[in-house]
Amino acid sequence: IHNFGGTILGSSRGPQKIGDMVDLLEEMNIDLFFVVGGDGTLRGAVELSNECERRGLKKSIIGIPKTIDNDIVGTTSCFGFDTAVSFATDAIVRLHTTAEAHRRIMVVEVMGRYAGWIALHGGIAGGADVILIPEIPYDARKIAKAIQGRSRQGLNFSIVAVAEGALSKD
């Protein structure tokens, strides 16, 4: 059993040399290969499997989803997601006191290029007043209106949870 990272196989982020990886699997006599990672890593695993099949090699490539973004299709929850949500929630909860004491609008940006699961879950659990996710383009006027509405109610602070990939409608 070998335990090594993608860097040794030449598969870490960057140009992948699938052919070289297959050669190395053959050279090391590896027939069962577990690939642990996110979207890009698992796409590479599919390419690796396809190249093995194209060459007529009987290799089993097993993909294990591990991404804090929780954006692997067909997966309910990926390794790391719960931890990321816990950290985001904790950050949001801790900011309430400071935001209220200083009458500030606090913006908490979290991971999530294409999927806003961390912002959504952490924002709800932490009590964010506005949550922005990549799946729904936001309208800055609506956000301002919501924050102004809180101010009219005597709540002179707000917390905005934002996934890194959130985009304006404009």
Side-chain angles (χ1 to χ4, degrees), residues 92-125:
I92 292 166
V93 166
R94 289 172 185 241
L95 285 174
H96 277 276
T97 306
T98 303
E100 186 173 11
H102 295 280
R103 298 178 174 207
R104 306 275 182 187
I105 298 169
M106 300 284 203
V107 178
V108 180
E109 183 183 27
V110 297
M111 301 288 285
R113 265 183 317 213
Y114 308 115
W117 292 112
I118 298 171
L120 184 63
H121 285 245
I124 290 171

PDB file of all heavy atoms in Angstrom, residues 92-125:
ATOM      1  N   ILE A  92     -19.313  34.464  12.416  1.00  0.00           N
ATOM      2  CA  ILE A  92     -20.498  35.330  12.337  1.00  0.00           C
ATOM      3  C   ILE A  92     -21.057  35.615  13.720  1.00  0.00           C
ATOM      4  O   ILE A  92     -21.357  36.766  14.056  1.00  0.00           O
ATOM      5  CB  ILE A  92     -21.558  34.703  11.401  1.00  0.00           C
ATOM      6  CG1 ILE A  92     -21.038  34.710   9.963  1.00  0.00           C
ATOM      7  CG2 ILE A  92     -22.890  35.434  11.512  1.00  0.00           C
ATOM      8  CD1 ILE A  92     -21.833  33.839   8.997  1.00  0.00           C
ATOM      9  N   VAL A  93     -21.164  34.579  14.537  1.00  0.00           N
ATOM     10  CA  VAL A  93     -21.685  34.751  15.903  1.00  0.00           C
ATOM     11  C   VAL A  93     -20.804  35.723  16.688  1.00  0.00           C
ATOM     12  O   VAL A  93     -21.294  36.620  17.371  1.00  0.00           O
ATOM     13  CB  VAL A  93     -21.786  33.388  16.625  1.00  0.00           C
ATOM     14  CG1 VAL A  93     -21.990  33.560  18.122  1.00  0.00           C
ATOM     15  CG2 VAL A  93     -22.916  32.554  16.028  1.00  0.00           C
ATOM     16  N   ARG A  94     -19.500  35.580  16.586  1.00  0.00           N
ATOM     17  CA  ARG A  94     -18.572  36.440  17.326  1.00  0.00           C
ATOM     18  C   ARG A  94     -18.634  37.900  16.872  1.00  0.00           C
ATOM     19  O   ARG A  94     -18.351  38.799  17.650  1.00  0.00           O
ATOM     20  CB  ARG A  94     -17.140  35.925  17.195  1.00  0.00           C
ATOM     21  CG  ARG A  94     -16.907  34.631  17.954  1.00  0.00           C
ATOM     22  CD  ARG A  94     -15.529  34.070  17.640  1.00  0.00           C
ATOM     23  NE  ARG A  94     -15.341  32.787  18.258  1.00  0.00           N
ATOM     24  CZ  ARG A  94     -14.401  32.536  19.159  1.00  0.00           C
ATOM     25  NH1 ARG A  94     -13.557  33.472  19.531  1.00  0.00           N
ATOM     26  NH2 ARG A  94     -14.283  31.339  19.671  1.00  0.00           N
ATOM     27  N   LEU A  95     -18.980  38.121  15.616  1.00  0.00           N
ATOM     28  CA  LEU A  95     -19.038  39.488  15.107  1.00  0.00           C
ATOM     29  C   LEU A  95     -20.269  40.263  15.570  1.00  0.00           C
ATOM     30  O   LEU A  95     -20.269  41.491  15.516  1.00  0.00           O
ATOM     31  CB  LEU A  95     -18.982  39.485  13.572  1.00  0.00           C
ATOM     32  CG  LEU A  95     -17.618  39.198  12.990  1.00  0.00           C
ATOM     33  CD1 LEU A  95     -17.707  39.083  11.471  1.00  0.00           C
ATOM     34  CD2 LEU A  95     -16.618  40.272  13.379  1.00  0.00           C
ATOM     35  N   HIS A  96     -21.288  39.577  16.016  1.00  0.00           N
ATOM     36  CA  HIS A  96     -22.512  40.268  16.448  1.00  0.00           C
ATOM     37  C   HIS A  96     -22.232  41.335  17.507  1.00  0.00           C
ATOM     38  O   HIS A  96     -22.702  42.469  17.388  1.00  0.00           O
ATOM     39  CB  HIS A  96     -23.552  39.265  16.976  1.00  0.00           C
ATOM     40  CG  HIS A  96     -24.360  38.629  15.900  1.00  0.00           C
ATOM     41  ND1 HIS A  96     -25.467  39.220  15.355  1.00  0.00           N
ATOM     42  CD2 HIS A  96     -24.216  37.450  15.266  1.00  0.00           C
ATOM     43  CE1 HIS A  96     -25.975  38.436  14.428  1.00  0.00           C
ATOM     44  NE2 HIS A  96     -25.224  37.359  14.353  1.00  0.00           N
ATOM     45  N   THR A  97     -21.476  40.982  18.521  1.00  0.00           N
ATOM     46  CA  THR A  97     -21.205  41.914  19.618  1.00  0.00           C
ATOM     47  C   THR A  97     -20.463  43.148  19.124  1.00  0.00           C
ATOM     48  O   THR A  97     -20.842  44.281  19.438  1.00  0.00           O
ATOM     49  CB  THR A  97     -20.367  41.210  20.715  1.00  0.00           C
ATOM     50  OG1 THR A  97     -21.048  40.029  21.108  1.00  0.00           O
ATOM     51  CG2 THR A  97     -20.176  42.102  21.921  1.00  0.00           C
ATOM     52  N   THR A  98     -19.424  42.928  18.327  1.00  0.00           N
ATOM     53  CA  THR A  98     -18.646  44.053  17.811  1.00  0.00           C
ATOM     54  C   THR A  98     -19.471  44.909  16.864  1.00  0.00           C
ATOM     55  O   THR A  98     -19.445  46.146  16.937  1.00  0.00           O
ATOM     56  CB  THR A  98     -17.382  43.538  17.087  1.00  0.00           C
ATOM     57  OG1 THR A  98     -16.628  42.742  18.002  1.00  0.00           O
ATOM     58  CG2 THR A  98     -16.526  44.681  16.577  1.00  0.00           C
ATOM     59  N   ALA A  99     -20.202  44.260  15.966  1.00  0.00           N
ATOM     60  CA  ALA A  99     -21.027  45.002  15.004  1.00  0.00           C
ATOM     61  C   ALA A  99     -22.061  45.864  15.728  1.00  0.00           C
ATOM     62  O   ALA A  99     -22.254  47.034  15.386  1.00  0.00           O
ATOM     63  CB  ALA A  99     -21.724  44.029  14.048  1.00  0.00           C
ATOM     64  N   GLU A 100     -22.686  45.297  16.739  1.00  0.00           N
ATOM     65  CA  GLU A 100     -23.705  46.045  17.480  1.00  0.00           C
ATOM     66  C   GLU A 100     -23.081  47.174  18.295  1.00  0.00           C
ATOM     67  O   GLU A 100     -23.566  48.311  18.280  1.00  0.00           O
ATOM     68  CB  GLU A 100     -24.485  45.102  18.403  1.00  0.00           C
ATOM     69  CG  GLU A 100     -25.655  45.775  19.088  1.00  0.00           C
ATOM     70  CD  GLU A 100     -26.522  44.800  19.857  1.00  0.00           C
ATOM     71  OE1 GLU A 100     -26.129  43.622  20.044  1.00  0.00           O
ATOM     72  OE2 GLU A 100     -27.607  45.231  20.295  1.00  0.00           O
ATOM     73  N   ALA A 101     -21.979  46.887  18.982  1.00  0.00           N
ATOM     74  CA  ALA A 101     -21.332  47.898  19.826  1.00  0.00           C
ATOM     75  C   ALA A 101     -20.835  49.091  19.010  1.00  0.00           C
ATOM     76  O   ALA A 101     -20.894  50.232  19.465  1.00  0.00           O
ATOM     77  CB  ALA A 101     -20.173  47.269  20.605  1.00  0.00           C
ATOM     78  N   HIS A 102     -20.355  48.831  17.816  1.00  0.00           N
ATOM     79  CA  HIS A 102     -19.780  49.895  16.989  1.00  0.00           C
ATOM     80  C   HIS A 102     -20.711  50.370  15.871  1.00  0.00           C
ATOM     81  O   HIS A 102     -20.312  51.197  15.057  1.00  0.00           O
ATOM     82  CB  HIS A 102     -18.446  49.433  16.400  1.00  0.00           C
ATOM     83  CG  HIS A 102     -17.402  49.187  17.440  1.00  0.00           C
ATOM     84  ND1 HIS A 102     -16.684  50.215  18.017  1.00  0.00           N
ATOM     85  CD2 HIS A 102     -16.968  48.047  18.019  1.00  0.00           C
ATOM     86  CE1 HIS A 102     -15.843  49.699  18.900  1.00  0.00           C
ATOM     87  NE2 HIS A 102     -16.000  48.388  18.921  1.00  0.00           N
ATOM     88  N   ARG A 103     -21.927  49.804  15.864  1.00  0.00           N
ATOM     89  CA  ARG A 103     -22.924  50.161  14.839  1.00  0.00           C
ATOM     90  C   ARG A 103     -22.333  50.052  13.437  1.00  0.00           C
ATOM     91  O   ARG A 103     -22.314  51.012  12.670  1.00  0.00           O
ATOM     92  CB  ARG A 103     -23.471  51.566  15.096  1.00  0.00           C
ATOM     93  CG  ARG A 103     -24.180  51.670  16.415  1.00  0.00           C
ATOM     94  CD  ARG A 103     -24.656  53.065  16.673  1.00  0.00           C
ATOM     95  NE  ARG A 103     -25.453  53.064  17.893  1.00  0.00           N
ATOM     96  CZ  ARG A 103     -26.396  53.927  18.144  1.00  0.00           C
ATOM     97  NH1 ARG A 103     -26.667  54.880  17.288  1.00  0.00           N
ATOM     98  NH2 ARG A 103     -27.068  53.853  19.264  1.00  0.00           N
ATOM     99  N   ARG A 104     -21.877  48.873  13.137  1.00  0.00           N
ATOM    100  CA  ARG A 104     -21.194  48.617  11.863  1.00  0.00           C
ATOM    101  C   ARG A 104     -21.956  47.607  11.014  1.00  0.00           C
ATOM    102  O   ARG A 104     -22.719  46.805  11.510  1.00  0.00           O
ATOM    103  CB  ARG A 104     -19.798  48.027  12.098  1.00  0.00           C
ATOM    104  CG  ARG A 104     -18.918  48.810  12.994  1.00  0.00           C
ATOM    105  CD  ARG A 104     -18.217  49.874  12.254  1.00  0.00           C
ATOM    106  NE  ARG A 104     -17.327  50.561  13.195  1.00  0.00           N
ATOM    107  CZ  ARG A 104     -16.671  51.616  12.906  1.00  0.00           C
ATOM    108  NH1 ARG A 104     -16.775  52.130  11.719  1.00  0.00           N
ATOM    109  NH2 ARG A 104     -15.899  52.185  13.783  1.00  0.00           N
ATOM    110  N   ILE A 105     -21.632  47.646   9.749  1.00  0.00           N
ATOM    111  CA  ILE A 105     -22.042  46.583   8.836  1.00  0.00           C
ATOM    112  C   ILE A 105     -20.806  45.730   8.635  1.00  0.00           C
ATOM    113  O   ILE A 105     -19.787  46.213   8.152  1.00  0.00           O
ATOM    114  CB  ILE A 105     -22.536  47.146   7.489  1.00  0.00           C
ATOM    115  CG1 ILE A 105     -23.765  48.020   7.701  1.00  0.00           C
ATOM    116  CG2 ILE A 105     -22.840  45.996   6.520  1.00  0.00           C
ATOM    117  CD1 ILE A 105     -24.156  48.826   6.475  1.00  0.00           C
ATOM    118  N   MET A 106     -20.887  44.478   9.041  1.00  0.00           N
ATOM    119  CA  MET A 106     -19.754  43.556   8.929  1.00  0.00           C
ATOM    120  C   MET A 106     -20.015  42.604   7.768  1.00  0.00           C
ATOM    121  O   MET A 106     -21.113  42.066   7.637  1.00  0.00           O
ATOM    122  CB  MET A 106     -19.577  42.739  10.206  1.00  0.00           C
ATOM    123  CG  MET A 106     -19.327  43.583  11.435  1.00  0.00           C
ATOM    124  SD  MET A 106     -17.631  44.171  11.408  1.00  0.00           S
ATOM    125  CE  MET A 106     -17.366  44.487  13.122  1.00  0.00           C
ATOM    126  N   VAL A 107     -18.997  42.409   6.959  1.00  0.00           N
ATOM    127  CA  VAL A 107     -19.095  41.484   5.835  1.00  0.00           C
ATOM    128  C   VAL A 107     -18.150  40.320   6.099  1.00  0.00           C
ATOM    129  O   VAL A 107     -16.965  40.527   6.347  1.00  0.00           O
ATOM    130  CB  VAL A 107     -18.730  42.172   4.503  1.00  0.00           C
ATOM    131  CG1 VAL A 107     -18.785  41.184   3.346  1.00  0.00           C
ATOM    132  CG2 VAL A 107     -19.659  43.357   4.250  1.00  0.00           C
ATOM    133  N   VAL A 108     -18.689  39.110   6.053  1.00  0.00           N
ATOM    134  CA  VAL A 108     -17.902  37.903   6.265  1.00  0.00           C
ATOM    135  C   VAL A 108     -17.874  37.134   4.949  1.00  0.00           C
ATOM    136  O   VAL A 108     -18.903  36.652   4.487  1.00  0.00           O
ATOM    137  CB  VAL A 108     -18.519  37.016   7.368  1.00  0.00           C
ATOM    138  CG1 VAL A 108     -17.693  35.758   7.569  1.00  0.00           C
ATOM    139  CG2 VAL A 108     -18.656  37.786   8.672  1.00  0.00           C
ATOM    140  N   GLU A 109     -16.692  37.071   4.329  1.00  0.00           N
ATOM    141  CA  GLU A 109     -16.561  36.322   3.081  1.00  0.00           C
ATOM    142  C   GLU A 109     -16.054  34.925   3.389  1.00  0.00           C
ATOM    143  O   GLU A 109     -15.104  34.755   4.145  1.00  0.00           O
ATOM    144  CB  GLU A 109     -15.599  37.018   2.118  1.00  0.00           C
ATOM    145  CG  GLU A 109     -15.505  36.310   0.785  1.00  0.00           C
ATOM    146  CD  GLU A 109     -14.506  36.954  -0.157  1.00  0.00           C
ATOM    147  OE1 GLU A 109     -13.547  37.599   0.311  1.00  0.00           O
ATOM    148  OE2 GLU A 109     -14.686  36.792  -1.375  1.00  0.00           O
ATOM    149  N   VAL A 110     -16.707  33.941   2.797  1.00  0.00           N
ATOM    150  CA  VAL A 110     -16.313  32.544   2.993  1.00  0.00           C
ATOM    151  C   VAL A 110     -16.076  31.890   1.634  1.00  0.00           C
ATOM    152  O   VAL A 110     -16.425  32.435   0.592  1.00  0.00           O
ATOM    153  CB  VAL A 110     -17.380  31.755   3.789  1.00  0.00           C
ATOM    154  CG1 VAL A 110     -17.545  32.328   5.195  1.00  0.00           C
ATOM    155  CG2 VAL A 110     -18.711  31.739   3.053  1.00  0.00           C
ATOM    156  N   MET A 111     -15.474  30.720   1.653  1.00  0.00           N
ATOM    157  CA  MET A 111     -15.216  29.967   0.422  1.00  0.00           C
ATOM    158  C   MET A 111     -16.535  29.657  -0.268  1.00  0.00           C
ATOM    159  O   MET A 111     -17.570  29.564   0.374  1.00  0.00           O
ATOM    160  CB  MET A 111     -14.489  28.660   0.735  1.00  0.00           C
ATOM    161  CG  MET A 111     -13.152  28.840   1.430  1.00  0.00           C
ATOM    162  SD  MET A 111     -11.888  29.500   0.360  1.00  0.00           S
ATOM    163  CE  MET A 111     -11.536  28.059  -0.616  1.00  0.00           C
ATOM    164  N   GLY A 112     -16.444  29.460  -1.568  1.00  0.00           N
ATOM    165  CA  GLY A 112     -17.622  29.108  -2.352  1.00  0.00           C
ATOM    166  C   GLY A 112     -17.618  29.811  -3.692  1.00  0.00           C
ATOM    167  O   GLY A 112     -18.332  30.785  -3.879  1.00  0.00           O
ATOM    168  N   ARG A 113     -16.773  29.339  -4.605  1.00  0.00           N
ATOM    169  CA  ARG A 113     -16.690  29.940  -5.934  1.00  0.00           C
ATOM    170  C   ARG A 113     -17.980  29.769  -6.710  1.00  0.00           C
ATOM    171  O   ARG A 113     -18.479  30.691  -7.319  1.00  0.00           O
ATOM    172  CB  ARG A 113     -15.582  29.272  -6.748  1.00  0.00           C
ATOM    173  CG  ARG A 113     -14.281  29.945  -6.729  1.00  0.00           C
ATOM    174  CD  ARG A 113     -13.340  29.194  -7.639  1.00  0.00           C
ATOM    175  NE  ARG A 113     -13.494  27.745  -7.421  1.00  0.00           N
ATOM    176  CZ  ARG A 113     -12.527  26.858  -7.520  1.00  0.00           C
ATOM    177  NH1 ARG A 113     -11.346  27.244  -7.866  1.00  0.00           N
ATOM    178  NH2 ARG A 113     -12.732  25.594  -7.296  1.00  0.00           N
ATOM    179  N   TYR A 114     -18.480  28.525  -6.728  1.00  0.00           N
ATOM    180  CA  TYR A 114     -19.655  28.211  -7.537  1.00  0.00           C
ATOM    181  C   TYR A 114     -20.850  27.768  -6.703  1.00  0.00           C
ATOM    182  O   TYR A 114     -21.961  27.706  -7.218  1.00  0.00           O
ATOM    183  CB  TYR A 114     -19.316  27.102  -8.544  1.00  0.00           C
ATOM    184  CG  TYR A 114     -18.088  27.416  -9.359  1.00  0.00           C
ATOM    185  CD1 TYR A 114     -16.941  26.652  -9.243  1.00  0.00           C
ATOM    186  CD2 TYR A 114     -18.064  28.498 -10.233  1.00  0.00           C
ATOM    187  CE1 TYR A 114     -15.802  26.944  -9.988  1.00  0.00           C
ATOM    188  CE2 TYR A 114     -16.937  28.807 -10.966  1.00  0.00           C
ATOM    189  CZ  TYR A 114     -15.816  28.022 -10.843  1.00  0.00           C
ATOM    190  OH  TYR A 114     -14.700  28.313 -11.568  1.00  0.00           O
ATOM    191  N   ALA A 115     -20.620  27.413  -5.472  1.00  0.00           N
ATOM    192  CA  ALA A 115     -21.688  26.928  -4.592  1.00  0.00           C
ATOM    193  C   ALA A 115     -21.637  27.698  -3.276  1.00  0.00           C
ATOM    194  O   ALA A 115     -20.592  27.812  -2.664  1.00  0.00           O
ATOM    195  CB  ALA A 115     -21.520  25.429  -4.333  1.00  0.00           C
ATOM    196  N   GLY A 116     -22.782  28.198  -2.857  1.00  0.00           N
ATOM    197  CA  GLY A 116     -22.842  29.026  -1.659  1.00  0.00           C
ATOM    198  C   GLY A 116     -23.250  28.308  -0.397  1.00  0.00           C
ATOM    199  O   GLY A 116     -23.781  28.917   0.533  1.00  0.00           O
ATOM    200  N   TRP A 117     -22.983  27.016  -0.336  1.00  0.00           N
ATOM    201  CA  TRP A 117     -23.432  26.230   0.820  1.00  0.00           C
ATOM    202  C   TRP A 117     -22.849  26.712   2.143  1.00  0.00           C
ATOM    203  O   TRP A 117     -23.552  26.759   3.151  1.00  0.00           O
ATOM    204  CB  TRP A 117     -23.085  24.749   0.614  1.00  0.00           C
ATOM    205  CG  TRP A 117     -23.859  24.098  -0.477  1.00  0.00           C
ATOM    206  CD1 TRP A 117     -23.358  23.646  -1.677  1.00  0.00           C
ATOM    207  CD2 TRP A 117     -25.256  23.823  -0.509  1.00  0.00           C
ATOM    208  NE1 TRP A 117     -24.363  23.123  -2.431  1.00  0.00           N
ATOM    209  CE2 TRP A 117     -25.546  23.204  -1.740  1.00  0.00           C
ATOM    210  CE3 TRP A 117     -26.295  24.037   0.388  1.00  0.00           C
ATOM    211  CZ2 TRP A 117     -26.820  22.805  -2.097  1.00  0.00           C
ATOM    212  CZ3 TRP A 117     -27.571  23.640   0.036  1.00  0.00           C
ATOM    213  CH2 TRP A 117     -27.820  23.035  -1.186  1.00  0.00           C
ATOM    214  N   ILE A 118     -21.577  27.059   2.172  1.00  0.00           N
ATOM    215  CA  ILE A 118     -20.968  27.498   3.439  1.00  0.00           C
ATOM    216  C   ILE A 118     -21.595  28.809   3.885  1.00  0.00           C
ATOM    217  O   ILE A 118     -21.965  28.965   5.054  1.00  0.00           O
ATOM    218  CB  ILE A 118     -19.434  27.645   3.314  1.00  0.00           C
ATOM    219  CG1 ILE A 118     -18.788  26.298   2.974  1.00  0.00           C
ATOM    220  CG2 ILE A 118     -18.837  28.193   4.615  1.00  0.00           C
ATOM    221  CD1 ILE A 118     -17.317  26.402   2.616  1.00  0.00           C
ATOM    222  N   ALA A 119     -21.738  29.767   2.974  1.00  0.00           N
ATOM    223  CA  ALA A 119     -22.352  31.057   3.320  1.00  0.00           C
ATOM    224  C   ALA A 119     -23.796  30.851   3.773  1.00  0.00           C
ATOM    225  O   ALA A 119     -24.242  31.458   4.758  1.00  0.00           O
ATOM    226  CB  ALA A 119     -22.305  32.010   2.127  1.00  0.00           C
ATOM    227  N   LEU A 120     -24.520  29.992   3.071  1.00  0.00           N
ATOM    228  CA  LEU A 120     -25.924  29.769   3.409  1.00  0.00           C
ATOM    229  C   LEU A 120     -26.077  29.111   4.777  1.00  0.00           C
ATOM    230  O   LEU A 120     -26.781  29.630   5.647  1.00  0.00           O
ATOM    231  CB  LEU A 120     -26.583  28.913   2.326  1.00  0.00           C
ATOM    232  CG  LEU A 120     -28.076  28.675   2.481  1.00  0.00           C
ATOM    233  CD1 LEU A 120     -28.849  29.994   2.409  1.00  0.00           C
ATOM    234  CD2 LEU A 120     -28.566  27.723   1.393  1.00  0.00           C
ATOM    235  N   HIS A 121     -25.410  27.990   4.968  1.00  0.00           N
ATOM    236  CA  HIS A 121     -25.522  27.274   6.253  1.00  0.00           C
ATOM    237  C   HIS A 121     -24.938  28.090   7.406  1.00  0.00           C
ATOM    238  O   HIS A 121     -25.557  28.207   8.466  1.00  0.00           O
ATOM    239  CB  HIS A 121     -24.818  25.919   6.161  1.00  0.00           C
ATOM    240  CG  HIS A 121     -25.573  24.902   5.372  1.00  0.00           C
ATOM    241  ND1 HIS A 121     -26.087  23.760   5.927  1.00  0.00           N
ATOM    242  CD2 HIS A 121     -25.905  24.851   4.059  1.00  0.00           C
ATOM    243  CE1 HIS A 121     -26.695  23.049   4.999  1.00  0.00           C
ATOM    244  NE2 HIS A 121     -26.593  23.699   3.848  1.00  0.00           N
ATOM    245  N   GLY A 122     -23.732  28.627   7.205  1.00  0.00           N
ATOM    246  CA  GLY A 122     -23.092  29.419   8.259  1.00  0.00           C
ATOM    247  C   GLY A 122     -23.865  30.696   8.543  1.00  0.00           C
ATOM    248  O   GLY A 122     -23.993  31.114   9.694  1.00  0.00           O
ATOM    249  N   GLY A 123     -24.385  31.331   7.490  1.00  0.00           N
ATOM    250  CA  GLY A 123     -25.152  32.565   7.658  1.00  0.00           C
ATOM    251  C   GLY A 123     -26.438  32.342   8.433  1.00  0.00           C
ATOM    252  O   GLY A 123     -26.783  33.117   9.326  1.00  0.00           O
ATOM    253  N   ILE A 124     -27.144  31.267   8.108  1.00  0.00           N
ATOM    254  CA  ILE A 124     -28.380  30.965   8.843  1.00  0.00           C
ATOM    255  C   ILE A 124     -28.057  30.610  10.287  1.00  0.00           C
ATOM    256  O   ILE A 124     -28.663  31.150  11.216  1.00  0.00           O
ATOM    257  CB  ILE A 124     -29.160  29.828   8.145  1.00  0.00           C
ATOM    258  CG1 ILE A 124     -29.736  30.326   6.821  1.00  0.00           C
ATOM    259  CG2 ILE A 124     -30.280  29.306   9.052  1.00  0.00           C
ATOM    260  CD1 ILE A 124     -30.332  29.236   5.943  1.00  0.00           C
ATOM    261  N   ALA A 125     -27.100  29.704  10.482  1.00  0.00           N
ATOM    262  CA  ALA A 125     -26.757  29.269  11.842  1.00  0.00           C
ATOM    263  C   ALA A 125     -26.196  30.403  12.688  1.00  0.00           C
ATOM    264  O   ALA A 125     -26.455  30.471  13.891  1.00  0.00           O
ATOM    265  CB  ALA A 125     -25.754  28.121  11.788  1.00  0.00           C
TER     266      ALA A 125
END
